[in-house]
Amino acid sequence: EVQLVESGGGLVQAGGSLRLSCAASGFTFDDYAIGWFRQAPGKEREGVSSISRSDGSTYYRDSVKGRVTISSDNAKNTVYLEVNSLKPEDTAVYYCAAGPADDLHTPTSLDEKEYTYWGQGTQVTVSS
């Protein structure tokens, strides 16, 4: 059974940090890119960051560059998203997703349509 399980969300004050985890199982982890997406209340889901499992390349959306780091622990089949200097506008449900590397139009694509497996999400709330 394919599973992506996010954890690490919570309530944090502005300026704080969180490290989100995405634990994957049930598929060949190395054959997939992992992306982090988020959906704020009343807004569409957007891609935040992604990591290519083939070459380790990463991508960050402009609004989080310098504040977010994506990393991967191969031994644990887990991808992390560390978010620093949190802002109230970072409040959202954060999802991780896995997309077959061969199907992505770039190794770190954040096109939702190219992602096959999705986790249930973890809530991040940033208070001002």
Side-chain angles (χ1 to χ4, degrees), residues 32-56:
Y32 286 74
I34 302 296
W36 281 97
F37 299 78
R38 67 185 181 186
Q39 187 165 22
K43 295 187 177 181
E44 292 187 355
R45 189 160 57 189
E46 63 183 15
V48 178
S49 179
S50 58
I51 185 167
S52 167
R53 300 288 297 124
S54 59
D55 63 9

Side-chain angles (χ1 to χ4, degrees), residues 20-71:
L20 308 180
S21 300
C22 172
S25 62
F27 62 96
T28 306
F29 195 53
D30 288 350
D31 293 342
Y32 286 74
I34 302 296
W36 281 97
F37 299 78
R38 67 185 181 186
Q39 187 165 22
K43 295 187 177 181
E44 292 187 355
R45 189 160 57 189
E46 63 183 15
V48 178
S49 179
S50 58
I51 185 167
S52 167
R53 300 288 297 124
S54 59
D55 63 9
S57 57
T58 59
Y59 175 83
Y60 301 95
R61 71 178 296 115
D62 287 344
S63 62
V64 302
K65 280 181 181 177
R67 299 192 298 120
V68 169
T69 302
I70 190 170
S71 61

